[in-house]
Structure formats: C-alpha cells, structure tokens
Amino acid sequence: MSFKIVEEATPRLNRSELAVPGSSPQLFEKAAKSAADVIFLDLEDAVAPDKKEEARRNVIRALNEIDWGNKTVSVRINGLDTHYMYRDVVEVIEQTGERLDLFMIPKVGTAADVYAVDMLVSQVEQAKGRKKRIGFELIIETALGMQNVHEIAGASPRNESLHFGVADYAASTRARTTNIGGVNPDYSVLTDPLEDGRREVHWGDMWHYAIARMVVAARANGLRPIDGPFGDFSDADGYRAAARRAAALGCEGKWAIHPSQIALANEVFSPSEKEVERARRILAAMEEAAREGKGAVSLDGRLIDIASIRQAQALVAKADQITAAGG
Ligand code: GLV
Ligand code: MG
C-alpha cells in the first residue's frame, strides 16, 4: 500500500440516480416514492431557458415540502458559463433547510471550476449557519473535463462522485453516436476471413476509454464513479448491458432518465446472493489460511490470496449497505 492513504467520500448508496426536471413538479412526489437511491432535481439541460427561474422556485419548494425519506437528494445547478449558476447556489441554500445533500455540477472543465463553486457554497452555508456540509457530484462531459479529470477529482473535500455525461461528451469530442449512451456499429472490428471465408463483425464499446479513465480518477481520490444516461428507455436489455459494462469497470451506479430504468440499475449494481455467499466463503477460507500461516489457498479450484480478501470485503460491505437501506 502507498504511504498516501486515500480517504473515502461520505458513503452513500448510488446504484440508481433518477433525473427529474425542475420544471416538472408533477413528477416530484412520484420520484420521492420511487426505488431510486439518489434523485437529482435538474435546473440545467432538462430545463428550457425561459423556465429556469420557475424551475428553481419549484425545486426550492420541493426541498422544503416533500418528504424525501431516506433518499439522497441532489440539485443539478447550471454551468459556470451561465448567469443562472450563482443564483442556483445562493437561492437554493438560503431558502431551504438542511434537506439538500448534494449539488451536481455540470460540464466541469478544470479543478478551478470546482474551487469556484466550493467558495460560493462555503460562503452561503456559513452565512446561513448550515450545519450539514453539501457534497459535490461532478459531471465529466467535455474533452476539457476528461483531460483534467484527475485534478478535478481531488479539487475539493466536498467531492463525492464523478459522473460520465455521455451526451455532452459526445458533443464535445464530436463523437458519432446513434443514441445517448448506446453503441455504434461503426465502432467495430471486421475479422479477417474465417476458415469458411465468412467475416464477422464484433461490436466494441466506444465509451470504454472515457469510463475507465473516469473510474481511475474517482477511485484514486476516494470518490464514487457513476455512469450517466442511456437515452433509449424502451431498450431495457441495452440499458442492462451498458450498466453491466460500467459495473465491470468499477462504476457503482448509473443514471435513470426514466423511472423504468431505476429497477434495472438497482439490479445490476447490487451484488447477487451467489456473489455475496462466495465472498463470505472467501473470507472464511482466508481466515483459516491465516491461522495456518498461509497467504494463498485454493477455493473451488481457483487461487485466492490476500487481495481476494479486499475484494470480498468490499462486496460484503456493499451488500450490508443495501440491507441497511432497506434493500
Ligand atoms: C449528461 O448531462 C449528459 O450530457 O450525458
Ligand atoms: Mg450534460
């Protein structure tokens, strides 16, 4: 282990993160009763410019009046390049109590962007006498943000998670996409002719580099990496496949841009009973190995060692967190 200890951000369940436009208050109650772990009330791109003020008022009312239960509640503020952002921060903190958990900052490009919002939030929190510190979720969704993702991840003690905003990222990098967060048949390998002369097309994941890079930056700074939107909400299998790919790389959750995606995210990002049972058996086997003075043993015909303990502990801790939150 390095001498530098990576401190983990405030632990929160973040399997599913439901996006709710601030301009659609009729959706708020339903969102509060949904099975999403995190709700973000959006003041940014789901809200038209002439609805920005009204959406902010709706969100303030919702933070004061709606019972959000044990959910983590976030507000996506507007970008630093707009004239809405400072009022989003000031009015939301000044006019609500302690219910807000997180601000989501879109299109973060540099560590200084995070620093600037931190400064503003700190002043308003202090002036208001707020006791609970508001955390930050940062969307990495521009070429600049992806270039600077490592500095961004370490830019504030408020940082809790990094999110891959695939739609804006595609726009920023001029990537050719067919559907938000989906795959593109152009991103494929054509095999050389097989023995019978046939050639096969193997589709690839065009988002692999971006997500993997974000995961490293997040984990190296104790933050949660979260995968962003999948636009085709009629394609449950496509969503599941994208979520599984993100989970395989280390992401802890994925956005739901439609309520039907919440259950899919919760399913993919919860360890299965079989996985938990195997993790517990690994821990038991390694305890026995330690008693016998061994560092590695075999379980079900496969090698396990001390690194397996850390993997198994993380899995069991996740399962316990889910149980504690009510499943
Ligand atoms: C999210 O904000 C995205 O652009 O994908
Ligand atoms: Mg975006």
Side-chain angles (χ1 to χ4, degrees):
M1 203 67 100
S2 163
F3 187 58
K4 179 175 161 66
I5 303 298
V6 174
E7 275 188 37
E8 296 291 321
T10 309
R12 299 181 197 272
L13 213 47
N14 206 161
R15 297 166 300 174
S16 49
E17 177 138 358
L18 180 66
V20 185
S23 48
S24 306
Q26 72 283 5
L27 303 178
F28 293 175
E29 285 282 358
K30 203 172 157 213
K33 291 193 172 59
S34 74
D37 292 333
V38 183
I39 311 280
F40 82 80
L41 301 170
D42 192 12
L43 299 178
E44 200 223 12
D45 278 358
V47 178
D50 62 341
K51 291 273 192 290
K52 293 284 187 193
E53 314 281 327
E54 186 187 318
R56 196 187 294 131
R57 284 195 296 275
N58 293 338
V59 165
I60 289 169
R61 199 171 322 113
L63 287 168
N64 288 325
E65 292 176 6
I66 289 184
D67 176 5
W68 296 97
N70 63 355
K71 298 218 173 313
T72 294
V73 182
S74 180
V75 169
R76 178 160 77 168
I77 58 176
N78 284 283
L80 280 85
D81 58 332
T82 72
H83 62 85
Y84 306 112
M85 188 278 275
Y86 79 100
R87 279 195 188 277
D88 291 344
V89 170
V90 174
E91 291 185 15
V92 168
I93 304 179
E94 279 190 351
Q95 296 177 30
T96 64
E98 301 269 328
R99 187 57 188 86
L100 180 69
D101 298 298
L102 305 167
F103 273 131
M104 175 181 266
I105 311 176
K107 301 182 184 67
V108 177
T110 69
D113 287 346
V114 181
Y115 186 87
V117 182
D118 191 352
M119 181 274 292
L120 184 57
V121 171
S122 298
Q123 288 208 12
V124 192
E125 268 185 356
Q126 244 183 53
K128 163 93 180 170
R130 209 176 188 274
K131 294 188 185 60
K132 198 172 87 180
R133 181 174 78 178
I134 295 170
F136 287 169
E137 316 185 273
L138 312 173
I139 317 184
I140 305 301
E141 52 182 344
T142 59
L144 184 65
M146 193 57 82
Q147 172 178 272
N148 296 324
V149 64
H150 294 88
E151 290 79 11
I152 289 169
S156 165
R158 293 180 188 272
N159 289 359
E160 291 200 11
S161 53
L162 298 183
H163 299 241
F164 180 51
V166 64
D168 273 302
Y169 185 75
S172 171
T173 55
R174 316 277 199 276
R176 294 182 176 178
T177 55
T178 45
N179 142 44
I180 294 177
V183 282
N184 183 338
D186 284 349
Y187 196 82
S188 56
V189 172
L190 177 66
T191 64
D192 284 347
L194 305 172
E195 272 176 17
D196 60 4
R198 270 184 309 118
R199 302 185 78 178
E200 286 179 356
V201 175
H202 295 286
W203 292 39
D205 177 10
M206 65 187 287
W207 311 116
H208 176 271
Y209 166 73
I211 296 179
R213 182 173 165 88
M214 182 193 77
V215 168
V216 172
R219 294 299 185 195
N221 288 277
L223 313 183
R224 294 182 290 279
I226 307 294
D227 191 22
F230 186 85
D232 184 356
F233 54 79
S234 62
D235 181 8
D237 288 340
Y239 181 96
R240 262 198 211 92
R244 285 201 190 108
R245 285 197 303 274
L249 290 175
C251 286
E252 285 190 32
K254 183 164 173 62
W255 288 16
I257 49 109
H258 186 270
S260 64
Q261 295 178 335
I262 298 170
L264 304 175
N266 287 350
E267 170 201 314
V268 172
F269 291 98
S270 302
S272 67
E273 266 176 42
K274 213 168 130 200
E275 285 172 305
V276 178
E277 192 260 337
R278 183 171 155 78
R280 291 195 200 279
R281 283 199 302 124
I282 288 174
L283 294 177
M286 287 307 296
E287 250 175 54
E288 198 180 321
R291 273 196 299 275
E292 292 169 6
K294 292 185 199 156
V297 285
S298 91
L299 181 73
D300 305 334
R302 292 184 200 162
L303 177 94
I304 57 169
D305 67 5
I306 293 167
S308 317
I309 299 181
R310 287 189 283 275
Q311 286 182 347
Q313 280 171 336
L315 204 133
V316 169
K318 171 66 67 184
D320 291 345
Q321 195 188 22
I322 293 168
T323 309

